[in-house]
């Protein structure tokens, strides 16, 4: 039986990590599967794994970012120096551990899921290994990243992007690389709710890490305008991250403490419960790859509204058919779309049903053959 190994940074909560677990579960139907995780984070794996999937951790230590920031906050000069040295050592150990793991494998398939690991797989992957790299984000025309695609990816057998548009762009960037096949395979859902509710709460829900790129501050400001005209509606933001203190302050500043809730991290089951009880899914990200949480929201029958950033939403939403795409940064237009749904329950129901149908296009059954065709391409 062919062995498929997936190298990931960790298996805690995150979009890449959920995609890794779902890939591993899919591959376990046909192959021997091992996830090689650099860090053994608390509460990992955060997502369900098939009992046939093995997990191997490379390092005992985990990143000390929180400790470093705590020393910086307290202006503890000696502590900051100590944590800086420790951070540098962990980064060194991380790279060495991944190189050693890749170099020790002489058969089967290796899939890497981050740019830095793609480069290491291309450089250190052995000739007998089928080497597949992935990009789970928008390259945003970042010169350093594009230069790396041209310079460092020649040892990969295939480079997998999440959307056809990204694949076309990267194929052009890597046009001088005659070895690496560039393909598009979207993420998929392996679970759909058994039954959608008949009644929903007057709630807008958003899911994502509380980091700058997810634009949750934009959503809170938009909701402030919505709340003035729809005071009985609430906003619930699911996720955790470095921006939580700033977002909490913004909620207080906007006078929204009674109607906007930051739930923190929730289990997959908890996220689904929130989605099934809400009415609208909102995304105000500044950049995306493939928006798995958007598809999850649509699978739960949520009418979606998303900023039409360069990659992601337009692949999933057809504007005014199964949701709304709003020009990026148009806060007034976004608020108008939310209020249009709130004030027209029939329209909301129509988009909700269409969104649920669209989400079915990204089922495991619909995407799996693309993966199996690629994994067998080496034969």
């Amino acid at each position: 039986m062919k062995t498929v190994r997936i190298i990931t940074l960790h298996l805690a909560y995150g979009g890449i990590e959920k995609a890794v677990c779902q890939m591993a579960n899919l591959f376990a139907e046909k192959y021997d599967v091992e996830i090689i995780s650099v860090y053994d984070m608390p509460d990992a794996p955060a997502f369900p794994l098939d009992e046939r999937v093995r997990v191997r951790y490379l390092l005992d230590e985990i990143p000390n970012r929180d400790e470093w920031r705590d020393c910086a906050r307290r202006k503890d000069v000696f502590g900051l120096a100590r944590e800086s040295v420790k951070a540098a050592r962990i980064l060194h150990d991380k790279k060495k551990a991944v190189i050693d793991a890749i170099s020790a494998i002489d058969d089967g398939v290796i899939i890497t899921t981050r740019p830095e690991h793609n480069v290491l797989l291309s450089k250190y992957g052995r000739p007998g290994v089928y080497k597949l790299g992935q990009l789970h984000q928008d390259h945003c025309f970042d010169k350093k990243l594009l230069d790396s695609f041209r310079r460092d990816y020649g040892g990969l057998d295939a480079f997998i992007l999440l959307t056809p548009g990204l694949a076309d762009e990267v194929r052009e960037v890597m046009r001088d690389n005659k070895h690496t096949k560039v393909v598009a395979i979207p993420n998929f859902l392996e679970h759909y709710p058994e039954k959608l509710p008949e009644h929903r709460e007057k709630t807008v829900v958003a899911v994502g890490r509380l980091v700058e790129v997810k634009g949750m501050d934009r959503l809170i400001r938009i909701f402030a305008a919505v709340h003035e005209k729809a005071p009985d509606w609430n906003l619930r933001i699911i996720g955790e991250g470095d921006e939580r203190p700033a977002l909490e302050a913004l909620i207080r500043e906007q006078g929204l403490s009674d109607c906007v809730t930051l739930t923190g991290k929730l289990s997959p089951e908890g996220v689904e419960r929130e989605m099934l009880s809400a009415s609208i899914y909102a995304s105000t990200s500044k950049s995306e790859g493939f928006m798995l949480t958007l598809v999850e929201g649509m699978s739960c029958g949520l009418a979606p509204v998303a900023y039409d950033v360069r990659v992601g939403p337009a692949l999933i939403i057809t504007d005014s058919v199964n949701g709304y795409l709003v020009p990026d940064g148009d806060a007034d237009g976004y608020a108008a779309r939310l209020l249009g749904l709130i004030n027209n329950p029939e329209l909301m129901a129509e988009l909700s049903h269409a969104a649920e149908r669209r989400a079915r296009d990204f089922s495991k059954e619909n995407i799996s053959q693309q993966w199996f065709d690629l994994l067998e391409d080496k034969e």
Side-chain angles (χ1 to χ4, degrees):
M1 183 184 290
K2 179 185 293 184
T3 298
V4 178
R5 299 174 177 91
I6 307 172
I7 297 178
T8 187
L9 190 61
H10 60 77
L11 288 173
Y13 287 98
I16 296 176
E17 294 69 37
K18 183 163 192 173
V20 165
C21 291
Q22 294 185 162
M23 280 193 300
N25 293 340
L26 170 64
F27 300 158
E29 296 176 6
K30 294 185 65 173
Y31 307 113
D32 174 50
V33 180
E34 179 181 46
I35 296 176
I36 301 173
S37 176
V38 178
Y39 300 124
D40 184 3
M41 301 293 286
D43 302 323
F47 303 100
L49 276 177
D50 189 294
E51 62 182 9
R52 294 169 291 186
V53 176
R54 304 188 311 280
V55 180
R56 172 160 57 106
Y57 297 101
L58 298 182
L59 297 180
D60 294 327
E61 287 189 298
I62 63 175
N64 63 327
R65 181 175 57 181
D66 291 342
E67 292 84 353
W68 189 93
R69 287 179 174 170
D70 181 59
C71 289
R73 180 182 56 80
R74 293 186 288 106
K75 298 181 181 180
D76 178 358
V77 176
F78 294 107
L80 190 60
R82 180 185 67 250
E83 296 300 334
S84 296
V85 170
K86 183 178 179 180
R89 177 174 55 77
I90 291 174
L91 287 174
H92 172 271
D93 291 348
K94 176 185 75 169
K95 183 175 181 179
K96 182 178 185 302
V98 174
I99 292 172
D100 290 347
I102 290 171
S103 301
I105 298 168
D106 60 5
D107 65 354
V109 180
I110 299 178
I111 301 173
T112 45
T113 55
R114 292 177 182 266
E116 63 270 25
H117 295 166
N118 295 341
V119 172
L120 297 180
L121 177 61
S122 177
K123 184 175 182 179
Y124 295 101
R126 297 175 68 171
V129 173
Y130 191 30
K131 297 173 279 292
L132 309 180
Q134 280 188 299
L135 184 72
H136 282 266
Q137 66 200 66
D138 181 4
H139 55 67
C140 296
F141 298 107
D142 178 87
K143 184 178 185 302
K144 182 178 180 181
L145 201 53
L146 296 181
D147 286 346
S148 182
F149 294 165
R150 297 186 186 96
R151 181 184 64 241
D152 302 324
Y153 279 48
L156 296 179
D157 295 299
F159 186 25
I160 304 152
L161 290 305
L162 293 176
T163 73
L166 278 176
D168 288 343
E169 290 176 0
V170 171
R171 203 174 284 118
E172 175 61 23
V173 169
M174 295 175 61
R175 62 185 178 276
D176 294 331
N177 179 347
K178 305 304 181 184
H179 174 71
T180 306
K181 177 190 294 187
V182 178
V183 298
I185 304 179
N187 290 333
F188 59 87
L189 294 186
E190 60 179 351
H191 167 77
Y192 287 79
E194 294 182 5
K195 182 180 180 181
L196 298 184
E198 296 182 6
H199 304 286
R200 293 179 178 271
E201 297 174 2
K202 295 180 177 182
T203 300
V204 178
V205 68
V207 182
R209 292 173 295 124
L210 305 186
V211 293
E212 191 269 342
V213 72
K214 295 300 182 181
M216 296 301 184
D217 58 327
R218 305 204 291 182
L219 179 56
I220 291 168
R221 290 188 174 91
I222 288 167
F223 192 77
V226 170
H227 187 64
E228 289 183 3
K229 298 181 179 180
D232 53 343
W233 276 71
N234 298 293
L235 169 64
R236 293 177 68 79
I237 298 175
I238 302 168
E240 194 55 83
D242 299 337
E243 289 219 329
R244 183 178 186 120
L247 295 176
E248 289 173 336
L250 178 60
I251 290 168
R252 292 192 297 270
E253 173 191 311
Q254 296 287 329
L256 301 173
S257 297
D258 291 338
C259 60
V260 177
T261 302
L262 305 180
T263 71
K265 287 189 299 187
L266 298 179
S267 67
E269 297 78 12
V271 173
E272 182 174 285
R273 283 194 297 271
E274 292 282 350
M275 287 181 168
L276 288 173
S277 68
S279 297
I280 299 171
Y281 185 89
S283 171
T284 48
S285 291
K286 300 175 182 178
S287 175
E288 281 289 352
F290 179 88
M291 300 184 66
L292 192 59
T293 55
L294 171 61
V295 180
E296 288 175 325
M298 293 167 70
S299 78
C300 290
L302 294 175
V305 180
Y307 270 143
D308 190 16
V309 293
R310 206 182 74 83
V311 174
L315 175 70
I316 301 164
I317 296 173
T318 300
D319 187 44
S320 301
V321 173
N322 49 36
Y324 286 127
L325 296 172
V326 180
D328 188 22
D330 181 4
D332 291 341
Y334 200 113
R337 286 304 196 188
L338 289 177
L339 287 167
L341 291 173
I342 288 170
N343 294 325
N344 191 334
E346 292 78 14
L347 174 61
M348 189 188 302
E350 179 182 329
L351 293 187
S352 168
H353 293 316
E356 193 273 334
R357 291 193 298 270
R358 174 58 174 151
R360 297 283 170 177
D361 294 337
F362 299 98
S363 68
K364 181 178 71 172
E365 291 72 23
N366 285 337
I367 305 300
S368 60
Q369 196 57 49
Q370 297 178 57
W371 270 113
F372 291 139
D373 288 346
L374 179 64
L375 291 174
E376 296 301 326
D377 190 52
K378 182 69 173 179
E379 298 301 325

